[in-house]
Amino acid sequence: MKGPVLAIVLIGLGVAVRVALQNTLPASVIDTLKGRPELVSVPNDDKRVKEILWLEERGIEGSESDLTISYPLHRVLPDPSLLFSPFFYPTLDAVSAAAFAVTLRATDTEGSPTFFLALFIFNPLSIAACLARSASVAISAVMMVVVAAARVTPPSVFTSVLAGASLGLVSYLNSGLSLLLPAVIMMGRKESGRLSLAFAVTTLISFLVSFAFYLYSEVAQFKEVDFTAGAEEVLNKVVPTLIDWFTRGLVTRDSSPNLGAQWYLFVQVFDQFRVYFVAIVVLVPVIGGVVLSLRLTAWPLLAFAIAHVYILLFSPYPSLPDFIVPVSLLFLHSEHVKHMRLSLLVLGGQIIGLSLAPLLMHEWVVTGAGNANFYYALSLVHMLSFGILMLEVGSTSVRLRERKLKND
């Protein structure tokens, strides 16, 4: 990148484009984007959040549904009305782009950093998510701050605390992303390339403190616990609450259609087998995310991106904007991506999915000519293409490393 001035110009143009589209596009277009499950995570539905805020302002009990609290973005803001400001989501995209620019400066790429930054900022999917006011915009912004802080070399106390505290915040918004902690710790390297123990310890402590702060301040069950009571009584109340909170980011709570595999699975599964499948959808990302983070230690940024995609594949409410950050980080390793053998299959899956999703949803919900099977099959196409992308880049990385070791 020629300098920070060019990055600032690109970011400013990106914000201007988003604000201009918000003010010029018809309201019907914006409403259509807000209603697309491919863009907006179900728990962050704009209408649903407004209803929750309306109930809470009037002190009506029971306003916190299990679904809404899965992405409690409105609870971390000093004023929940910021969610409906025309500048809130463009500003989040600007933060995300600035963090991506910092990551680019700390990463050796074969392509042009300016091209990567421009593609990240003016990605049509990112713009559509901003217009739809998707919670993925906020989660992506915080996640990019985590990556940028972890990639700064050499790591400092400030970057360690920033990475850990930001990961604590994003884990509060989506508890499943807490599984990325090992991958974040692996990114903290000294100038020699070795893992920084000080970064790991500081990041871990700041993550735990940040996550505990958000969790305790917002979860009513914790406030009812008498911590001066016996240890057994405290554990009996705290542990179930922690488990329930953690699984909210891993297990679906309703059958609202989305790009994930869980909503239709748990509609069809027999009740006597539900516990078994819940255990599967929880353990698979927990084990896989950690294993992937440790398997690709030679490429910590790549390991983080692959583990991120893997966790999202098993999340209960994924949307396409959730994949913007990890896929962008994957393509920074262009030497690995260009050796992919199934790139055409990945691209074709995404094009087919994006093209047919509105049609199949309309045929199912509006005309009744289709059914849930068609839309669910399309969501599996999306997830399969992302899975192939993850496996292809990961296997290519291992293959290139083995080839390099043989040559050495």
Side-chain angles (χ1 to χ4, degrees):
M1 190 174 301
K2 297 179 180 179
V5 175
L6 181 57
I8 294 173
V9 170
L10 287 175
I11 294 172
L13 287 175
V15 172
V17 168
R18 286 160 171 78
V19 174
L21 289 175
Q22 284 182 344
N23 294 329
T24 56
L25 287 178
S28 58
V29 175
I30 303 295
D31 291 338
T32 300
L33 293 176
K34 291 180 180 179
R36 298 306 310 171
E38 301 86 15
L39 293 176
V40 180
S41 301
V42 177
N44 193 59
D45 178 81
D46 195 64
K47 179 181 178 182
R48 193 185 304 254
V49 172
K50 288 181 179 180
E51 291 174 351
I52 293 300
L53 293 175
W54 186 87
L55 292 170
E56 291 178 352
E57 288 174 358
R58 287 152 181 80
I60 300 176
E61 295 183 0
S63 59
E64 289 185 3
S65 67
D66 287 339
L67 184 61
T68 302
I69 206 170
S70 298
Y71 291 86
L73 179 58
H74 62 284
R75 301 194 181 283
V76 300
L77 300 174
D79 184 3
S81 63
L82 287 174
L83 283 174
F84 312 109
S85 169
F87 299 101
F88 179 70
Y89 289 96
T91 301
L92 289 176
D93 271 344
V95 172
S96 183
F100 188 72
V102 173
T103 304
L104 278 171
R105 292 176 65 88
T107 305
D108 294 328
T109 59
E110 290 189 357
S112 169
T114 303
F115 170 77
F116 283 120
L117 181 60
L119 187 62
F120 184 84
I121 294 173
F122 297 104
N123 179 0
L125 189 59
S126 176
I127 296 175
C130 178
L131 297 177
R133 295 179 178 175
S134 172
S136 302
V137 177
I139 293 175
S140 297
V142 181
M143 189 58 72
M144 274 309 313
V145 171
V146 173
V147 175
R151 291 292 292 173
V152 173
T153 304
S156 63
V157 175
F158 172 75
T159 58
S160 305
V161 172
L162 180 60
S166 300
L167 185 62
L169 171 58
V170 81
S171 299
Y172 168 71
L173 296 174
N174 182 359
S175 58
L177 296 178
S178 61
L179 299 174
L180 291 171
L181 177 61
V184 173
I185 290 177
M186 296 299 295
M187 283 195 291
R189 302 298 178 99
K190 300 178 181 178
E191 292 182 344
S192 60
R194 295 184 177 181
L195 181 66
S196 172
L197 181 60
F199 175 86
V201 173
T202 308
T203 300
L204 176 61
I205 294 175
S206 58
F207 164 76
L208 293 175
V209 171
S210 173
F211 186 55
F213 169 77
Y214 288 113
L215 199 58
Y216 179 78
S217 62
E218 300 297 341
V219 180
Q221 291 91 324
F222 279 123
K223 299 177 182 180
E224 298 174 358
V225 176
D226 183 9
F227 288 94
T228 61
E232 182 177 355
E233 181 179 350
V234 172
L235 289 177
N236 288 337
K237 293 183 177 180
V238 171
V239 173
T241 301
L242 286 175
I243 294 175
D244 178 69
W245 181 270
F246 181 68
T247 55
R248 285 177 181 178
L250 296 173
V251 182
T252 183
R253 297 298 177 106
D254 75 347
S255 56
S256 299
N258 58 76
L259 288 185
Q262 292 191 31
W263 65 277
Y264 196 67
L265 170 66
F266 285 107
V267 168
Q268 299 296 329
V269 72
F270 293 111
D271 290 339
Q272 60 265 37
F273 299 115
R274 184 178 179 85
V275 175
Y276 169 77
F277 283 102
V278 167
I280 292 297
V281 299
V282 170
L283 290 177
V284 167
V286 169
I287 297 174
V290 175
V291 171
L292 287 171
S293 301
L294 300 178
R295 180 66 179 88
L296 300 173
T297 54
W299 303 280
L301 185 62
L302 186 66
F304 173 88
I306 292 178
H308 195 176
V309 172
Y310 182 83
I311 292 169
L312 289 175
L313 289 177
F314 293 93
S315 62
Y317 304 106
S319 60
L320 289 178
D322 292 329
F323 292 89
I324 291 176
V325 168
V327 171
S328 299
L329 297 178
L330 281 179
F331 278 89
L332 291 184
H333 296 79
S334 54
E335 70 278 11
H336 299 172
V337 175
K338 69 183 182 183
H339 287 91
M340 286 175 52
R341 301 169 180 173
L342 301 175
S343 56
L344 185 61
L345 183 61
V346 173
L347 181 61
Q350 290 301 312
I351 292 176
I352 292 173
L354 286 172
S355 303
L356 295 181
L359 173 63
L360 294 184
M361 176 66 76
H362 182 271
E363 292 296 310
W364 170 29
V365 176
V366 180
T367 66
N371 56 44
N373 294 321
F374 300 145
Y375 188 81
Y376 183 62
L378 196 65
S379 67
L380 293 181
V381 170
H382 275 296
M383 295 300 103
L384 179 62
S385 63
F386 280 120
I388 293 174
L389 174 64
M390 176 194 70
L391 292 174
E392 275 283 273
V393 177
S395 61
T396 300
S397 303
V398 174
R399 190 167 60 250
L400 291 176
R401 180 171 175 79
E402 291 177 348
R403 185 184 304 171
K404 181 179 179 182
L405 291 175
K406 288 181 180 180
N407 294 334
D408 293 341

